[in-house]
Amino acid sequence: MRNSPRLRWYFALFDFVARERAARKDLDLRVIHAHLNMVLTTGILMWSYAILAIGSFTTPVPGLVGVITSLIHLLSPLFFLLTANGKLVCGIALSAGLIHQMTFAYFSGGLASDVLMWLPILPLLAGYIAGRNCLLVWTGVTCIAIGSFLYLQNTGHEFPVLISEHGYQSARGLLFVGWLFIIFCTTWVYISMKEHSEENLRVQGQKIDDLFRVLFHDLANSLGRINIGMNVCERENNNQKTTRGLQIIRDAQASMSEITQNVRRMYAASKGKTEVDLAPCPLNASIEYLQKMFASEIEKKKLKVQYDFKKNKGLSVVVDAVSFNNQVLGNIFSNAIKFSHPESTISINARPLNQQKVAIEITDTGIGMPQVLLESLFDMNKRTSRPGTTGESGTGFGMHIMKSFVEMYQGEVQIESVDKEISQNSGTNIRLILKGGFQHTR
């Protein structure tokens, strides 16, 4: 909604009116949205009646009162700059409307005036803006206003009829058009806000689902490495092998701790309680982390990893380091190992695209992917999991998780793959486009 060019002016006005409340976080901003929408819609009618009163009454009172109350009503959203009391600001705007309607009705026949038909809309607007209590209060106020006119009539008071016939007919026309306009606008805004809230809930739910998938998927990888470490310790009797197995377990345990902390931060960020900090992360350090974490898998398949540490010294990407190492590079590298043939090569290349962006490519010469799988790779509703070249299993969530984090970094993922069924030169190339560049060091 905010990105719509047609509503840009509205959100500029809203941001101005709501800036104090947004900064202090002392009022639900939906109250300001509802109030502002009410003022913009009913304000058109109030000014229409004020202009009609100026030209149709033989006394200046209805016109003068109409202009003053319409001005107060129009400026009422500015009170949100001074107070977080939504009921008070709502009361100011509705009181102005009540006085305007009562004055117009008094000088055009009292209870016989069609303008009194506007009074029932006051409780509706009060409840729409400020909730149940305000609805009850303004229902009482409306009853008192009608009761006062009824009392005056029953005690013999004669209401003046100082409106011209043309003005009377115009007021009746405004009543019909106005009610239709108000009902349309309030219903339209209500439906739009409901759809917007439902979309926010859907997105929020998707984010939480993704976080759980991150947790389960990546913890499973770390638990698998712990099992590898335990097997190394159990099968080998010499101290060197045992030490190596224990180191694998320690590294996996540290990785699990980082993953759980990262998921906690991501969950808090999805709730608006904190922000995920993006900072320059040295690419060489991330590749060293990968090689260390997947050392056993690389050795088991006798794979060769090509990467030029010297060339990329000082090259950094702007990311959250923990999620980048585990959920992004970890998932890509894990898949590259899984689908590579034993004794093959995995290449990692990086280069600056310009002064602000870096391209990182992870390329394997494994079994590749058929086009139908490539097209549904990021779709959580489609099954994309398949066994690796030596029977390794997976969940199918890795690529979706990876893409979600890259988008959070405001980056881009590009994938090219050649299926083994099509060509002997099969394999997969995953290219990440991220913010970053060479960091100048002294």
Side-chain angles (χ1 to χ4, degrees):
M1 293 175 65
R2 183 176 280 271
N3 294 329
S4 172
R6 291 177 296 177
L7 295 177
R8 194 170 297 160
W9 64 271
Y10 168 79
F11 283 105
L13 178 61
F14 171 80
D15 290 339
F16 173 77
V17 171
R19 67 178 188 271
E20 282 295 320
R21 307 285 65 88
R24 297 175 184 268
K25 297 182 179 179
D26 53 5
L27 179 65
D28 188 341
L29 298 185
R30 288 178 296 182
V31 173
I32 303 179
H33 270 301
H35 187 95
L36 196 55
N37 276 286
M38 181 272 291
V39 167
L40 292 175
T41 52
T42 59
I44 296 173
L45 294 170
M46 286 190 65
W47 282 101
S48 297
Y49 273 104
I51 294 170
L52 180 63
I54 292 172
S56 302
F57 282 91
T58 57
T59 174
V61 175
L64 182 61
V65 170
V67 170
I68 293 173
T69 55
S70 295
L71 191 60
I72 294 172
H73 175 271
L74 181 65
L75 298 178
S76 63
L78 297 179
F79 284 97
F80 285 113
L81 295 171
L82 306 174
T83 179
N85 191 332
K87 294 180 176 65
L88 173 63
V89 180
C90 175
I92 291 171
L94 296 183
S95 295
L98 176 65
I99 294 170
H100 186 7
Q101 292 166 5
M102 294 289 285
T103 304
F104 196 104
Y106 181 85
F107 287 99
S108 58
L111 282 176
S113 175
D114 293 331
V115 176
L116 287 180
M117 291 295 293
W118 280 113
L119 291 183
I121 204 172
L122 298 177
L124 171 67
L125 295 174
Y128 169 67
I129 297 169
R132 184 181 291 111
N133 290 337
C134 225
L135 168 66
L136 294 173
V137 168
W138 277 92
T139 299
V141 170
T142 302
C143 290
I144 292 172
I146 295 293
S148 65
F149 269 37
L150 184 61
Y151 172 78
L152 289 174
Q153 181 167 296
N154 289 337
T155 55
H157 181 79
E158 292 187 10
F159 292 98
V161 182
L162 304 179
I163 189 171
S164 65
E165 180 62 25
H166 174 75
Y168 178 75
Q169 296 300 331
S170 298
R172 297 193 71 179
L174 268 178
L175 180 66
F176 172 78
V177 174
W179 264 103
L180 183 61
F181 178 69
I182 292 295
I183 290 172
F184 173 81
C185 290
T186 52
T187 305
W188 181 277
V189 170
Y190 171 77
I191 292 173
S192 298
M193 292 182 69
K194 181 181 177 183
E195 290 175 346
H196 185 64
S197 297
E198 289 175 348
E199 177 62 16
N200 284 340
L201 288 173
R202 187 195 66 77
V203 171
Q204 193 78 4
Q206 183 63 54
K207 287 181 179 178
I208 293 173
D209 285 346
D210 288 348
L211 290 175
F212 275 112
R213 291 185 178 111
V214 168
L215 186 62
F216 297 144
H217 179 273
D218 293 334
L219 286 184
N221 285 340
S222 295
L223 287 170
R225 287 195 286 274
I226 288 177
N227 288 332
I228 292 171
M230 292 176 66
N231 290 334
V232 170
C233 292
E234 291 173 357
R235 294 174 183 176
E236 306 292 343
N237 295 322
N238 64 69
N239 290 334
Q240 184 177 359
K241 294 290 185 179
T242 300
T243 301
R244 182 178 163 220
L246 290 174
Q247 186 60 47
I248 292 172
I249 294 173
R250 290 192 198 99
D251 291 342
Q253 188 178 25
S255 176
M256 291 172 69
S257 178
E258 285 187 338
I259 290 167
T260 52
Q261 291 297 322
N262 187 59
V263 169
R264 288 179 62 186
R265 294 202 316 273
M266 294 299 296
Y267 178 76
S270 72
K271 291 291 186 181
K273 295 180 181 178
T274 187
E275 293 183 357
V276 177
D277 294 324
L278 304 183
C281 173
L283 186 59
N284 280 1
S286 294
I287 303 303
E288 287 175 355
Y289 176 86
L290 279 183
Q291 291 181 331
K292 186 177 181 181
M293 292 306 297
F294 290 96
S296 296
E297 290 91 329
I298 293 170
E299 182 179 345
K300 184 178 179 180
K301 278 194 166 183
K302 298 180 181 180
L303 300 174
K304 182 180 180 182
V305 178
Q306 290 183 344
Y307 176 74
D308 193 335
F309 283 95
K310 184 177 180 180
K311 172 188 172 185
N312 295 319
K313 183 179 181 181
L315 188 62
S316 295
V317 287
V318 180
V319 294
D320 169 70
V322 174
S323 60
F324 179 65
N325 290 343
N326 290 283
Q327 281 81 41
V328 178
L329 289 182
N331 277 321
I332 296 173
F333 202 65
S334 175
N335 277 349
I337 294 172
K338 177 180 175 182
F339 297 113
S340 286
H341 299 290
E343 301 184 11
S344 61
T345 299
I346 298 174
S347 300
I348 305 174
N349 296 296
R351 58 187 174 87
L353 294 179
N354 51 45
Q355 294 182 345
Q356 297 179 333
K357 290 189 176 182
V358 172
I360 304 169
E361 294 188 11
I362 298 93
T363 306
D364 65 68
T365 55
I367 60 176
M369 287 179 279
Q371 186 64 28
V372 64
L373 180 60
L374 189 61
E375 291 174 355
S376 59
L377 196 59
F378 301 125
D379 191 340
M380 295 294 293
N381 298 316
K382 294 184 179 179
R383 184 176 179 84
T384 58
S385 178
R386 54 185 182 146
T389 54
T390 55
E392 303 98 321
S393 61
T395 63
F397 294 146
M399 288 295 98
H400 175 80
I401 292 169
M402 177 272 293
K403 186 172 184 286
S404 298
F405 279 96
V406 171
E407 289 176 347
M408 186 187 72
Y409 311 148
Q410 298 178 15
E412 182 184 349
V413 180
Q414 300 171 355
I415 300 181
E416 298 172 351
S417 189
V418 178
D419 186 18
K420 66 175 182 177
E421 301 295 333
I422 297 177
S423 172
Q424 292 182 343
N425 298 320
S426 60
T428 300
N429 174 272
I430 297 181
R431 184 183 300 109
L432 304 177
I433 310 296
L434 299 169
K435 292 181 179 179
F438 280 102
Q439 298 290 310
H440 298 289
T441 57
R442 294 182 180 179

